[in-house]
Amino acid sequence: MSLLTDLINLDLSDITEKIIAEYIWIGGSGMDIRSKARTLSHPVTDPKDLPKLNYDGSSTGQAPGKDSEVILYPQAIFRDPFRRGNNILVICDTYTPAGEPIPTNKRANAQKYLAIQMLFAEEPWYGIEQEYTLLQKDVNWPLGWPVGGYPGPQGPYYCGTGADKAYGRDIVDAHYKACLYAGINISGINGEVMPGQWEFQVGPTVGISSGDQVWAARYLLERITEVAGVVLSFDPKPIQGDWNGAGAHTNYSTKSMREEGGIKVIKKAIEKLGLRHKEHIAAYGEGNERRLTGRHETADINTFSWGVANRGASIRVGRDTEREGKGYFEDRRPASNMDPYIVTSMIAETNHPLK
């Protein structure tokens, strides 16, 4: 095994200019992350300089067997914390051989709406709080919980410390450092309210980069839990009963919101979100109705509300924003399994400057 570890950690930079690029994409379910590697003749820093790559879409639920070829278009590059050196991770989106986005390619459409805001010089900033649950591999039960049983009630676990409160911290810290190494703008981590549940935050990031970075961070977490022999769950309500669900709260601001008098723009944006509440809910993650019950720091799924410092509202405005009269708001409705391309672009579309 020591030889295997030595080989995995081989530094190739002294003997060859060739590098390994891991192409990453989203599979047919919308949450399954796929990847395949290819060798490049030299280091690359711009996705425009990367070749396209094809894969068998019939094996990922994205194409029929009789016409199975799907083409990967490289869109964003990150440093590879697993292979290190000049090796890279490449976030891609997916197209037919004719150059049309396939139906599960949500990035292409998101880019259009986010580009409109950039054209209006609004510089949309996003900060996404990604909650997730670590599960014991063979029983699909939260890490640290007695098999078939329950720990003590919620209370001591949120941001908790100690062997009886924090389960999986080594995985969480490994992921934190891997994200920083990769170049992801991860801004923090914390233990969540339900034991075995954690959160990482990505942002602030501008426009389409938010979705790219969240997906890259999810990929890293999948790989790290794979090594650790732990199952990663983005289910919005992994355990029924008196336990918190898992969300992906999305913080949002535009240049107008961040400038003096921005609170008026924020209130107008919240009003627009309320008018399209059902449309947003429909796009904010599968199974979200199990989470948005009006309990456990959520608003009821059928009712739109907002409030200052209110974690039981659909939209929360922070005390700092209220006091300074400018800043951002937090959309607390997205589930942990939401697609960040969909959520960020939908918020941008609803808040189109001309609407």
Side-chain angles (χ1 to χ4, degrees):
M1 290 305 294
S2 61
L3 175 59
L4 181 61
T5 300
D6 289 343
L7 290 171
I8 290 172
N9 293 327
L10 271 179
D11 183 358
L12 304 177
S13 59
D14 290 337
I15 62 168
T16 180
E17 285 192 351
K18 292 182 178 180
I19 68 162
I20 302 170
E22 191 76 24
Y23 282 51
I24 301 164
W25 73 96
I26 304 160
S29 75
M31 277 303 293
D32 55 318
I33 304 175
R34 311 284 180 134
S35 74
K36 62 188 295 189
R38 70 171 299 164
T39 304
L40 304 178
S41 60
H42 57 81
V44 177
T45 58
D46 189 333
K48 295 185 180 67
D49 296 330
L50 288 167
K52 297 181 178 70
L53 190 61
N54 72 75
Y55 69 92
D56 172 15
S58 69
S59 295
T60 63
Q62 294 173 294
K66 62 182 180 181
D67 187 13
S68 64
E69 193 168 288
V70 180
I71 312 300
L72 294 169
Y73 283 36
Q75 299 292 359
I77 291 175
F78 299 91
R79 291 183 290 273
D80 186 341
F82 304 109
R83 297 188 176 108
R84 305 180 191 178
N86 291 320
N87 302 301
I88 56 175
L89 306 175
V90 184
I91 294 294
C92 305
D93 58 355
T94 45
Y95 294 79
T96 67
E100 294 296 321
I102 67 172
T104 54
N105 179 357
K106 306 305 181 183
R107 188 186 191 280
N109 194 53
Q111 176 77 322
K112 295 177 184 178
Y113 288 114
L114 292 166
I116 289 171
Q117 281 202 329
M118 296 299 284
L119 286 173
F120 279 87
E122 280 291 355
E123 297 177 16
W125 288 6
Y126 296 93
I128 295 179
E129 306 170 29
Q130 176 68 71
E131 295 177 347
Y132 60 93
T133 308
L134 300 174
L135 304 176
Q136 300 170 56
K137 183 180 178 181
D138 296 327
V139 294
N140 275 344
W141 198 240
L143 198 66
W145 289 35
V147 176
Y150 297 87
Q154 294 182 159
Y157 308 108
Y158 173 69
C159 297
T161 56
D164 58 343
K165 303 177 192 70
Y167 310 121
R169 190 184 296 277
D170 52 348
I171 293 171
V172 174
D173 277 348
H175 176 249
Y176 198 171
K177 287 188 175 180
C179 285
L180 289 172
Y181 181 95
I184 295 167
N185 189 27
I186 184 170
S187 50
I189 60 168
N190 61 267
E192 266 304 328
V193 177
M194 189 183 85
Q197 194 175 83
W198 295 81
E199 173 183 301
F200 66 86
Q201 302 95 35
V202 172
T205 49
V206 180
I208 197 68
S209 179
S210 179
D212 292 340
Q213 293 196 33
V214 169
W215 276 114
R218 285 175 170 178
Y219 173 79
L220 292 180
L221 189 53
E222 287 273 19
R223 286 284 304 275
I224 290 167
T225 52
E226 171 190 323
V227 172
V230 171
V231 173
L232 172 63
S233 172
F234 291 112
D235 190 298
K237 188 73 174 180
I239 303 296
Q240 295 303 307
D242 196 17
W243 304 97
N244 273 37
H249 305 153
T250 301
N251 300 277
Y252 173 75
S253 72
T254 62
K255 186 177 180 181
S256 298
M257 295 177 188
R258 298 187 293 269
E259 292 176 341
E260 292 301 320
I263 191 66
K264 293 180 181 179
V265 183
I266 289 172
K267 290 180 178 179
K268 181 63 176 176
I270 293 172
E271 181 183 336
K272 291 179 180 179
L273 288 171
L275 294 174
R276 298 187 66 194
H277 178 63
K278 288 185 178 179
E279 293 174 63
H280 280 257
I281 287 295
Y284 273 15
E286 187 176 348
N288 209 10
E289 72 282 352
R290 292 184 282 114
R291 167 180 162 262
L292 295 180
T293 62
R295 300 181 62 210
H296 305 110
E297 301 180 77
T298 70
D300 181 81
I301 194 169
N302 297 309
T303 305
F304 181 84
S305 61
W306 76 276
V308 176
N310 184 358
R311 283 180 162 77
S314 308
I315 306 293
R316 182 184 69 87
V317 173
R319 289 289 183 198
D320 287 347
T321 296
E322 179 192 42
R323 182 173 59 254
E324 296 174 12
K326 59 182 179 181
Y328 70 96
F329 64 82
E330 175 193 38
D331 191 339
R332 297 180 58 80
R333 296 171 296 173
S336 52
N337 60 359
M338 64 80 159
D339 186 328
Y341 293 133
I342 294 176
V343 170
T344 57
S345 61
M346 196 166 190
I347 292 173
E349 179 194 1
T350 297
N351 289 284
H352 190 295
L354 297 183
K355 284 189 177 181

